[in-house]
Amino acid sequence: MPTQRFKSFFKDYSTNVDQADNQYFWKLSDDIIQSIIEKNIGNQINKNTTILDAGGGTGRWILKFSKKYQCNFILYDLSTSMLEVAKNKDSIKKLGDKIRIVNGDLENMSAIKDASIDYVTSIYNPISFVKNVEKVFSEFNRILKKDGLIMVMGQGYYNALYSKINNYVADTKELEELLGKSLVSWNKSVPKLKVFTKETLEKLATSNNLYPVKTYGIPIFAQPQFEDFDSENKQKSPLSNKLEIDNKFYKAVFEIEMAFNSQDSVVNRGMNLMIVAKKK
Ligand SMILES: C[S@@+](CC[C@H](N)C(=O)[O-])C[C@H]1O[C@@H](n2cnc3c(N)ncnc32)[C@H](O)[C@@H]1O
């Protein structure tokens, strides 16, 4: 059962997340994610393929994927507020029987059959919100077909330390909790979030028989600025502003990010990390 804080956080979040691209830092981040996912899927998709978006929220990623892939989609999420926004979208309704919407917890995905899914995507850190992340990876392994892929994001541990020290000048108690328990608290309305490294994500995968293909930092050099966290996505940071008005700059930053974001020496700089792993 979701907690009251979980419910109220995602009730507010659901009203603005579809406008996140108005701030170009988030547009950049979204474009990087989409590019990584498309690179890893390649042209393997046919009409019998099923993509499950785990913690898929308002369905905004399924809508992006459906423009490119003619296949089946499952939108899976614990928040009824997020799913309600999805259900009310005409573009989601138009997918007809190509989309199934499931309200459930990632720790127990009993509504999804064993070995029935080709790709699991999980974008902007649903696993940072769960209680038992081992259970989630075990469920991903159970529902995947042989050779199926997961593309799963979690918040970055080192970036959280960097940000708490530099941007928040956090007190030692908070830093100790982050250091020792890998839990970060960004503000009172957000539940405490789990943070991950390339190594912890890859260990989670391998201990659940998912073979790590690559881990990415997203983004690794571009950093969100204060205004980029405006919950209504209206304020413009100097970085978002430059990315918006200067197309050459946008392209250059995108290319720099893509050139380095899976290099072992810099992955852990990522604000968020994405592990791509395969079921053998
Ligand atoms: C930050 S939002 C990202 C939503 C969406 N993936 C996107 O990128 O727009 C995290 C999502 O994870 C979902 N979530 C968190 N914990 C969950 C759980 N235990 N089971 C299923 N969904 C969960 C939330 O309801 C929310 O929709």
Side-chain angles (χ1 to χ4, degrees):
M1 276 293 280
T3 61
Q4 204 45 50
R5 185 150 70 153
F6 180 97
K7 283 190 198 162
S8 68
F9 175 71
F10 283 111
K11 189 164 191 283
D12 291 347
Y13 189 86
S14 70
T15 59
N16 290 308
V17 62
D18 289 312
Q19 284 80 51
D21 273 12
N22 290 346
Q23 289 161 313
Y24 267 51
F25 171 81
W26 298 111
K27 177 171 166 43
L28 173 76
S29 174
D30 282 6
D31 285 350
I32 293 168
I33 293 167
Q34 191 166 356
S35 167
I36 293 172
I37 290 177
E38 288 178 1
K39 209 156 69 173
N40 280 282
I41 290 182
N43 45 22
Q44 310 287 323
I45 298 236
N46 61 50
K47 65 176 177 25
N48 298 318
T49 304
T50 302
I51 301 178
L52 181 141
D53 196 16
T58 60
R60 68 193 190 99
W61 287 95
I62 286 185
L63 286 173
K64 287 183 207 263
F65 301 149
S66 69
K67 292 198 178 113
K68 191 167 170 90
Y69 306 124
Q70 312 301 311
C71 64
N72 305 300
F73 297 100
I74 300 178
L75 172 59
Y76 190 101
D77 205 283
L78 184 61
S79 162
T80 47
S81 304
M82 295 291 275
L83 292 181
E84 213 44 51
V85 173
K87 285 177 189 163
N88 286 327
K89 288 180 182 169
D90 287 341
S91 44
I92 288 277
K93 289 179 193 154
K94 276 195 192 129
L95 291 174
D97 62 4
K98 289 287 182 195
I99 187 166
R100 185 178 153 210
I101 299 182
V102 180
N103 180 214
D105 195 327
L106 293 171
E107 293 182 27
N108 173 6
M109 303 179 74
S110 51
I112 312 296
K113 285 194 188 130
D114 294 3
S116 60
I117 305 296
D118 298 275
Y119 298 96
V120 171
T121 55
S122 190
I123 302 169
Y124 288 124
N125 318 330
I127 59 165
S128 289
F129 292 85
V130 304
K131 282 202 202 83
N132 186 335
V133 71
E134 277 285 347
K135 278 193 185 165
V136 178
F137 274 72
S138 161
E139 283 294 74
F140 288 165
N141 175 55
R142 179 185 67 74
I143 66 174
L144 271 185
K145 294 180 190 167
K146 183 176 175 297
D147 293 330
L149 274 191
I150 58 162
M151 289 165 271
V152 173
M153 290 176 72
Q155 268 201 9
Y157 175 79
Y158 294 107
N159 178 73
L161 281 169
Y162 166 90
S163 182
K164 280 292 176 187
I165 293 169
N166 293 290
N167 304 334
Y168 291 80
V169 199
D171 64 28
T172 25
K173 195 165 163 262
E174 203 179 343
L175 292 178
E176 276 163 15
E177 181 169 40
L178 177 49
L179 203 63
K181 295 190 184 155
S182 297
L183 281 177
V184 67
S185 172
W186 292 114
N187 65 52
K188 287 205 169 65
S189 69
V190 188
K192 279 188 186 167
L193 298 181
K194 290 194 164 57
V195 288
F196 301 90
T197 62
K198 169 177 159 64
E199 293 74 21
T200 55
L201 280 179
E202 292 181 357
K203 193 159 171 253
L204 271 165
T206 44
S207 65
N208 288 287
N209 295 320
L210 296 162
Y211 173 75
V213 178
K214 223 169 227 186
T215 304
Y216 299 81
I218 305 172
I220 43 171
F221 302 123
Q223 285 271 332
Q225 300 175 339
F226 172 72
E227 296 85 347
D228 295 312
F229 292 108
D230 168 29
S231 62
E232 292 180 2
N233 303 108
K234 284 186 181 146
Q235 294 179 33
K236 294 255 159 84
S237 69
L239 175 60
S240 280
N241 192 44
K242 172 99 171 150
L243 288 166
E244 183 170 357
I245 62 176
D246 184 344
N247 194 245
K248 274 195 182 152
F249 177 71
Y250 187 96
K251 280 193 182 145
V253 177
F254 177 84
E255 273 158 27
I256 292 167
E257 289 284 341
M258 291 305 294
F260 293 100
N261 61 15
S262 64
Q263 282 200 6
D264 285 354
S265 53
V266 288
V267 169
N268 274 320
R269 287 181 61 101
M271 171 184 162
N272 299 308
L273 305 184
M274 180 193 283
I275 180 163
V276 179
K278 189 178 227 176
K279 177 164 173 175
K280 285 186 180 170

